[in-house]
Amino acid sequence: MAATFFGEVVKASCRAGTEDEEEEEEGRRETPEDREVRQQLARKREVRLLRRQTKTSLEVSLLEKYPCSKFIIAIGNNAVAFLSSFVMNSGVWEEVGCAKLWNEWCRTADTTHLSSTEAFCGFYHLKSNPSVFLCQCSCYVAEDQQYQWLEKVFGSCPRKNMQITILTCRHVTDYKTLESTGSLPSPFLKALKTQNFKDPACCPLLEQPNIVHDLPAAVLSYCQVWKIPAILYLCYTDVMKLDLITVEAFKPILSTRSLKGLVKNIPQSTEILKKLMTTNEIQSNIYT
């Protein structure tokens, strides 16, 4: 080993074993068949954004095609159920597109005929105010597909005059604290926001060294880089399947500026949520 002037330690060059390394490199060279398989897999894993009416791909990103002032993104079954019950049932929303993707964990379904057990990713705008957008994403977006998803939705040069709200859940055991996670009042909300988001959060901010994961982290990082005001509301819960108490833990968000005015009748929405839970239990019993 040898040290450079910059302080790092590097390997000194040595010819011993180079023949073995060359043979290994020869064995690792990609054959035409390997290349074809890799290209087919890449095409299969491509994220596509489709029009509602024709189910053909959009030529430009969703938010380049439609002006947007407010974008609410629900990721995961409980966050999707919250938006379905409290927001989508309080107004007339029109589907403007859906994401089609495939990976090891999910295959998206057609958004026109869904059961609560199917994975999907749909985009909607409010008919009375088309600049208000909503995304319901119950499917898993793999790490290598997240950048594609962001480009298809936001584009390569997004507008900065919009506000993003992201809702999602993590298991309470992922929450890092000096206390025992068993003593925490699960479920509970934490928030993480970009520097340009100036509104107050409706719950305490997420403390270090906690981090966020997957698509919610990708969206928030994207907004931070592009200086878009964005906030993530993260519900820590001990029940990751569709759960009434977990869904209702998002209720404080209804008082925020992002969702204020979008919900008209909270008691009625609560009843709709309970019916959704009953339907889900019946379907779960059918498939188990």
Side-chain angles (χ1 to χ4, degrees), residues 4-242:
T4 70
F5 289 110
F6 296 101
E8 72 269 27
V9 177
V10 296
K11 285 184 179 179
S13 59
C14 175
R15 291 194 56 82
T18 53
E19 290 181 5
D20 291 339
E21 288 172 5
E22 285 173 4
E23 286 176 6
E24 286 178 15
E25 183 64 31
E26 187 77 27
R28 285 198 297 266
R29 280 180 189 164
E30 190 177 52
T31 65
E33 291 81 9
D34 292 337
R35 191 179 305 112
E36 178 63 25
V37 170
R38 180 173 54 79
Q39 289 171 350
Q40 285 180 1
L41 186 59
R43 285 194 294 270
K44 194 172 184 179
R45 294 179 72 89
E46 183 182 348
V47 177
R48 296 175 62 213
L49 213 59
L50 308 179
R51 291 183 182 87
R52 182 183 69 88
Q53 299 91 342
T54 61
K55 299 299 179 187
T56 55
S57 297
L58 286 170
E59 292 84 9
V60 295
S61 71
L62 184 74
L63 299 187
E64 284 176 328
K65 183 174 177 61
Y66 300 99
C68 176
S69 62
K70 188 184 293 185
F71 191 17
I72 305 159
I73 306 171
I75 301 170
N77 289 333
N78 285 303
V80 166
F82 174 75
L83 282 194
S84 294
S85 304
F86 288 93
V87 179
M88 293 196 76
N89 280 294
S90 296
V92 181
W93 295 81
E94 180 184 26
E95 185 184 352
V96 293
C98 64
K100 287 285 186 181
L101 59 91
W102 176 94
N103 58 51
E104 293 83 353
W105 294 99
C106 90
R107 205 171 290 176
T108 50
D110 188 341
T111 54
T112 52
H113 300 96
L114 281 172
S115 76
S116 58
T117 58
E118 290 179 308
F120 69 99
C121 183
F123 301 89
Y124 311 83
H125 66 187
L126 188 60
K127 290 201 84 171
S128 60
N129 185 359
S131 70
V132 177
F133 272 76
L134 186 149
C135 170
Q136 291 187 303
C137 184
S138 70
C139 63
Y140 173 73
V141 181
E143 187 176 345
D144 63 309
Q145 296 173 318
Q146 290 165 13
Y147 181 73
Q148 291 183 59
W149 190 96
L150 291 168
E151 278 214 317
K152 302 285 185 183
V153 175
F154 290 96
S156 56
C157 189
R159 302 182 186 96
K160 297 175 176 60
N161 58 341
M162 58 181 168
Q163 190 176 81
I164 313 295
T165 303
I166 311 151
L167 315 179
T168 194
C169 291
R170 293 292 295 184
H171 199 275
V172 70
T173 52
D174 289 333
Y175 183 65
K176 292 178 173 59
T177 176
L178 295 176
E179 301 174 51
S180 166
T181 53
S183 65
L184 295 171
S186 175
F188 59 92
L189 276 179
K190 293 287 181 178
L192 189 61
K193 54 187 182 177
T194 62
Q195 288 179 340
N196 288 68
F197 190 91
K198 303 304 180 186
D199 292 349
C202 69
C203 64
L205 295 178
L206 187 65
E207 311 91 338
Q208 292 183 338
N210 287 289
I211 58 173
V212 294
H213 305 77
D214 303 325
L215 185 60
V219 175
L220 200 66
S221 298
Y222 183 91
C223 292
Q224 175 69 18
V225 168
W226 286 100
K227 297 180 169 55
I228 301 168
I231 186 165
L232 166 67
Y233 285 107
L234 182 56
C235 178
Y236 284 98
T237 177
D238 55 358
V239 183
M240 290 305 291
K241 66 178 184 179
L242 198 55

